[in-house]
Amino acid sequence: AQTVTQSQPEMSVQEAETVTLSCTYDTSENNYYLFWYKQPPSRQMILVIRQEAYKQQNATENRFSVNFQKAAKSFSLKISDSQLGDTAMYFCAFMKLKLVFGKGTKLTVNP
Amino acid sequence: DGGITQSPKYLFRKEGQNVTLSCEQNLNHDAMYWYRQDPGQGLRLIYYSQIVNDFQKGDIAEGYSVSREKKESFPLTVTSAQKNPTAFYLCASSIDMNNEQFFGPGTRLTVL
């Protein structure tokens, strides 16, 4: 069974700085998808970014980018120019037909 | 507006009662899912449905039941057999099971 590990339960960053959230996963599959979801205090789950495993190029979405290392089974999220609205729980997720979530990292952006 | 709705936002139940959580989507998605979220935990899959009139158990299906009579609706019943039902419940949908899932706003269930 696939597992997803987020080793940082909590992190904090100053507004306008850059922060990186870590994620590792375990799978024997070759083709799959990886996602980062954001859950703000409203508890709405919001898709931040997705990565197809067959693509070598790292995905980017505005201030959000990933560092996907397939051999190392690592999928970190970098948030540049952090904003107060980035304060949220961030979940890494692996998908091969079904989504498997990590336990999340609570990110606080301080003014 | 296209999206996923869940109702009610907050739900209280007495022990021994069954309760049904609603999930509706107008995205024309084939696949729908139910997750449970507990403090300090990621989301855990309860049930999923790839197509109308078909559904499968997820990782923690005991004490729950679902139906999928219409494409846009996937209600979840929390039965009295669920030993610890107090949690936050999220419904999601996707075009199919190989695409990203979009989530509803969730229902907070509290057993009194």
Side-chain angles (χ1 to χ4, degrees):
Chain A
Q2 288 82 12
T3 59
V4 177
T5 303
Q6 293 180 248
S7 59
Q8 306 148 316
E10 292 192 40
M11 296 188 72
S12 63
V13 64
Q14 293 299 121
E15 198 174 5
E17 293 187 346
T18 295
V19 63
T20 299
L21 281 58
S22 301
C23 173
T24 57
Y25 58 95
D26 186 24
T27 186
S28 57
E29 301 284 352
N30 188 46
N31 295 317
Y32 48 87
Y33 297 88
L34 293 162
F35 303 92
W36 279 97
Y37 281 89
K38 168 184 177 180
Q39 189 179 40
S42 67
R43 305 199 76 173
Q44 173 78 52
M45 291 288 284
I46 302 165
L47 179 64
V48 175
I49 200 165
R50 65 175 274 172
Q51 175 80 43
E52 292 89 345
Y54 64 86
K55 290 187 177 179
Q56 292 186 341
Q57 186 172 6
N58 289 324
T60 62
E61 287 287 342
N62 300 314
R63 298 183 295 106
F64 299 88
S65 62
V66 298
N67 183 3
F68 173 48
Q69 301 290 328
K70 190 173 183 180
K73 297 179 183 176
S74 171
F75 184 60
S76 61
L77 175 70
K78 185 171 81 171
I79 305 174
S80 304
D81 185 26
S82 297
Q83 300 175 0
L84 296 177
D86 294 334
T87 292
M89 285 290 292
Y90 286 83
F91 292 96
C92 178
F94 169 99
M95 188 177 81
K96 179 72 175 183
L97 295 181
K98 292 190 288 182
L99 264 178
V100 177
F101 287 86
K103 292 188 176 183
T105 295
K106 182 179 180 181
L107 177 67
T108 302
V109 180
N110 298 307
Chain B
D1 280 9
I4 304 170
T5 57
Q6 291 185 241
S7 62
K9 187 172 183 178
Y10 299 98
L11 188 57
F12 298 90
R13 185 195 97 173
K14 293 182 179 179
E15 279 193 35
Q17 289 182 337
N18 292 355
V19 64
T20 298
L21 282 59
S22 169
C23 177
E24 303 277 333
Q25 55 97 1
N26 60 4
L27 300 169
N28 201 33
H29 286 172
D30 281 321
M32 296 187 75
Y33 315 81
W34 273 105
Y35 293 91
R36 171 181 172 137
Q37 186 177 26
D38 294 285
Q41 300 283 332
L43 278 65
R44 293 182 291 169
L45 182 64
I46 304 173
Y47 267 98
Y48 64 99
S49 169
Q50 298 186 62
I51 200 166
V52 176
N53 292 323
D54 182 64
F55 51 83
Q56 283 81 40
K57 293 181 179 180
D59 300 319
I60 55 165
E62 186 176 352
Y64 300 97
S65 65
V66 294
S67 63
R68 186 84 187 277
E69 297 176 1
K70 297 186 296 181
K71 186 175 186 177
E72 57 271 22
S73 180
F74 191 42
L76 173 74
T77 297
V78 184
T79 75
S80 57
Q82 170 50 235
K83 298 304 179 188
N84 186 21
T86 294
F88 187 63
Y89 291 87
L90 284 157
C91 177
S93 71
S94 59
I95 294 173
D96 55 43
M97 290 191 70
N98 286 313
N99 279 278
E100 62 261 36
Q101 296 178 20
F102 297 91
F103 287 80
T107 292
R108 173 70 184 176
L109 173 64
T110 301
V111 174
L112 303 174

